[in-house]
Structure formats: C-alpha cells, structure tokens
Amino acid sequence: MGIRTGQAGAQLIDVPQPTEISDDQVLLKTLYTGICGTDRGIISGQLKFARPPAGSDFLIMGHEGLAEVQDVGKSVKTIRRGDIVVPMVRRPGGCLQCRIGRQDNCEDGDFVEAGIRGKDGFMREYFLDEEKYSVKVYDRSLGRLAVLTEPMKNVVKSFDAYRTVTRRSIAQCGDGSFDCRRATIAGGGPIGILFAMIFRSYGFDVQLFDRNDHLGKLSAVSEKLGIDFKVSEGTGLPPNFIEGLDVFVDTTGSPSVIGRGLEGLGHNGCMVLFGTSSGGGYQLTGDLITSLVEKNATIIGTVDGSKAHYIEALNYLSSWKGMFPGVLEDIITQEDDPENSISALNTKVTGEIKRVIKWADQ
Ligand SMILES: [Zn+2]
C-alpha cells in the first residue's frame, strides 16, 4: 500500500513490494510515519515544488519515517536485520555541498527529497534504501517517539547555527550555561515545542506563544518544561514578550510576527527563521534597520539537517525522556491506521499537535 498524489488530493494505491535487494541496499519495513504541514501543503496543491520521481506520474508521500530493517545487501556493514532506522529525507545532487554530505546546504537545488520532490517517500509498507541514508536508532526504548527524529534534526541544525553565529560575542552566562538568556518561540506546533525544549535544556528562559492553546495542551506542555506560554491576539505578540530578546525563533512564517520579533531583539540578538511563508508582508522601516545595526543583530535562515544532525536529534530525544518526562509523548496527539491515512493527511483536528500513522508493530 502507498499513498499517491498527482496535482492535488491523495489516494491509497497498491505499490509493488520490493523483491530484489542490491549489495548496498537495505529492505525496510515501515513502522511509523509522521504527518506535517509540508505533507498537507503537497496534498492541497499549495507546495509548488512538490513533484513525483522522474518518469513517474505520482509521488508516494511521507518524509518523516521510522522503519525496521528486514534484510540487508551483501556489502552492508553497519546495519543488521532487526535494527530500527530513521530514513533521511534529502538526497544529494552534484554541487560541492552535496558531494560532502551536506545536501542540507545545497547550492544549486539539484537534490531530491523523499515524499516531497523527485523521490518516493515512506508512506508504504516496505521500501528499499541505501545503508548510508539509514540512521540507526540505538535507544529502542524510544519506541514511536523516534519518528520525531526527522523534525528534530531541523531544530538541531538551527540551534547549531544559532550557537555558531553567537560566538562572535559572549552568549553564555556566569556559570557557562545560558540561564541569563531569553529565547522566544513563535508557534507551538511540533517544531516550536522541540525548539522550546532544546533552548530550555541549555538553561534559557523560554517563552512560547501561539494563536491557540490546542485544547490546553500547550499550557500543559509548557508547565512541564518550566516555560512561559501565552496565547497571542491576532498577529501581535504577547505584550511582555517583545523586549530585549536574546533569540527569537519563528516557526510561523508570518511576516508580521517576524517583524515584531525583529523589533523586539535586544543587543547581540538573533532571529532564527524556520517557518516558510504562505504570503503577506511587513513594512521594514529605516528606524528598525538602524536599530538592528546598532544592536549587532543577526538573522539566520535554516532548512533541513545533515546526517550528524539526525544522530544528534536521536541523542536529544533519548536524553529528554529523563529531563522532560512525558513531553515528547504529549507531542504525538494522534495515531491512525494506514486505512485512515487519507483523512489524516487531509484534516487537521482540533487540538492536534503531531499525527502519526502506524504501519506495523515494532
Ligand atoms: Zn546540491
């Protein structure tokens, strides 16, 4: 079974089960796939860069995967039958960045992404992949939480970028942690919560805001994390969230939210842009430009992540089971059978944070 999408809309189809396995390949049985805004943008026809593999008239969906290794080719060394792996999404093209394994920083757009553009995804019962794109999950106690590795690797890369650019001034506090710094996160989806967790884990005072509380779920998660959560009114930021910000992370893609965040940056402040935008605008003023210069402000955009970021993502997820008990579990609010996957892809239910499809028992 697979899910295909043509122009817009999706349907369940039969896809052939792979039989031949070449020397460098692994045969994977899908356990879980996650659903995110990108999937819904593809289904609705809004994401214009979505495309099927070359020579195919449909795309099998799914880029957040978790799978069990069923069989391995003769030359596969690091992965064995029975291992659990997270398949990587983006596969390299021919540019310099791609050739050194940093297709997340591709310079010419000549990459493909499983379930998004030019390569079939993971929403099917079995698929073949290469050893080098299968990231092994050593902590099997993560169970289905390991399906959060794919979104988490984006957060790890962004945090890495933030720490890199802030090395130009001293961001650490007296004890070497970041507990005198404040991070404000716009948007309480799965990515926003994972950003809140990574900043909190390094000691930041974290503020999270969203247009709604997802049936009280964001308040509950924020209490467990020891962070401040506010519901924002319209496009405005909560009034006490907008001054002297050390770091502002946008996961909404809203120009007005980002504009208010830029206005609120403090000295040596950093704006991290993660959310892509579906339109709108913001009037940049001369005063704001002067203020950003005078404050040594930085604006970073980041996308995707490298294999190392997947590995680090798994380390964070494992350590957070103890550091923030129950919070990762709270992110996955719904689990569906493959038979319900079309409805799950089409419909976001009230209170939903992350919806996953369970393909097989682990
Ligand atoms: Zn490239």
Side-chain angles (χ1 to χ4, degrees):
M1 186 190 293
I3 292 169
R4 88 177 192 181
T5 177
Q7 294 295 311
Q11 58 195 112
L12 286 175
I13 55 164
D14 282 321
V15 290
Q17 193 167 322
T19 46
E20 297 275 303
I21 177 167
S22 50
D23 288 357
D24 63 343
Q25 281 184 321
V26 291
L27 173 64
L28 300 176
K29 178 176 82 171
T30 309
L31 301 174
Y32 286 93
T33 53
I35 294 174
C36 83
T38 301
D39 298 304
R40 291 190 167 125
I42 295 170
I43 296 292
S44 69
Q46 282 175 327
L47 275 189
K48 299 301 175 201
F49 53 69
R51 63 175 197 272
S56 174
D57 62 353
F58 64 87
L59 171 74
I60 296 174
M61 296 289 298
H63 62 279
E64 300 181 2
L66 184 66
E68 185 180 312
V69 179
Q70 291 291 289
D71 203 357
V72 299
K74 288 194 196 87
S75 60
V76 171
K77 290 195 172 65
T78 60
I79 293 173
R80 291 182 193 168
R81 192 178 170 155
D83 281 350
I84 306 292
V85 298
V86 175
M88 290 173 65
V89 178
R90 192 179 283 199
R91 310 301 169 92
C95 79
L96 174 63
Q97 297 292 332
C98 283
R99 281 186 278 126
I100 59 164
R102 290 306 303 267
Q103 55 267 29
D104 59 309
N105 289 338
C106 178
E107 294 174 347
D108 62 5
D110 188 26
F111 56 83
V112 293
E113 287 177 321
I116 302 174
R117 42 188 148 190
K119 181 176 171 57
D120 281 329
F122 314 128
M123 288 188 181
R124 45 182 162 161
E125 284 148 338
Y126 293 92
F127 61 99
L128 289 168
D129 212 335
E130 287 170 65
E131 176 183 20
K132 63 180 171 184
Y133 301 122
S134 305
V135 183
K136 190 164 161 178
V137 179
Y138 288 93
D139 179 3
R140 298 179 73 109
S141 74
L142 277 171
R144 71 175 187 173
L145 297 177
V147 80
L148 298 173
T149 306
E150 196 282 332
M152 183 61 200
K153 65 97 171 62
N154 302 315
V155 171
V156 175
K157 177 180 174 179
S158 291
F159 188 71
D160 195 14
Y162 163 74
R163 292 194 67 180
T164 301
V165 303
T166 51
R167 277 190 195 111
R168 68 201 182 126
S169 63
I170 304 295
Q172 279 93 339
C173 312
D175 63 355
S177 80
F178 294 87
D179 63 3
C180 64
R181 300 293 175 194
R182 204 148 57 116
T184 298
I185 319 290
I191 290 278
I193 295 172
L194 293 170
F195 267 115
M197 293 175 84
I198 200 165
F199 279 98
R200 188 74 195 109
S201 70
Y202 283 88
F204 283 80
D205 174 20
V206 175
Q207 308 177 130
L208 174 70
F209 69 93
D210 196 298
R211 281 178 297 186
N212 73 71
D213 194 359
H214 297 264
L215 301 176
K217 293 192 179 87
L218 289 180
S219 292
V221 158
S222 298
E223 190 165 337
K224 287 183 192 173
L225 291 176
I227 68 172
D228 193 6
F229 171 72
K230 291 264 184 348
V231 173
S232 59
E233 300 286 334
T235 56
L237 272 62
N240 59 335
F241 275 24
I242 57 170
E243 276 178 38
L245 306 176
D246 295 304
V247 51
F248 186 98
V249 179
D250 178 73
T251 71
T252 71
S254 158
S256 56
V257 168
I258 293 163
R260 294 294 302 281
L262 288 173
E263 293 164 16
L265 287 183
H267 290 277
N268 309 311
C270 180
M271 164 70 65
V272 178
L273 298 178
F274 182 82
T276 53
S277 186
S278 50
Y282 170 81
Q283 184 66 45
L284 191 61
T285 65
D287 283 348
L288 179 55
I289 293 168
T290 303
S291 144
L292 293 173
V293 172
E294 290 289 324
K295 288 176 174 167
N296 291 299
T298 319
I299 303 174
I300 308 172
T302 74
V303 69
D304 196 43
S306 67
K307 189 171 186 180
H309 295 126
Y310 280 84
I311 293 166
E312 288 172 48
L314 280 160
N315 291 342
Y316 279 112
L317 294 177
S318 278
S319 76
W320 288 350
K321 283 184 302 175
M323 186 181 274
F324 304 123
V327 176
L328 292 171
E329 283 82 353
D330 288 344
I331 292 176
I332 298 177
T333 50
Q334 222 163 329
E335 183 178 296
D336 291 273
D337 292 330
E339 288 70 30
N340 295 331
S341 52
I342 300 299
S343 136
L345 278 162
N346 278 320
T347 325
K348 188 171 184 177
V349 296
T350 310
E352 176 183 315
I353 298 178
K354 169 68 73 186
R355 198 163 178 172
V356 299
I357 299 168
K358 180 181 181 178
W359 295 82
D361 284 317
Q362 197 163 335

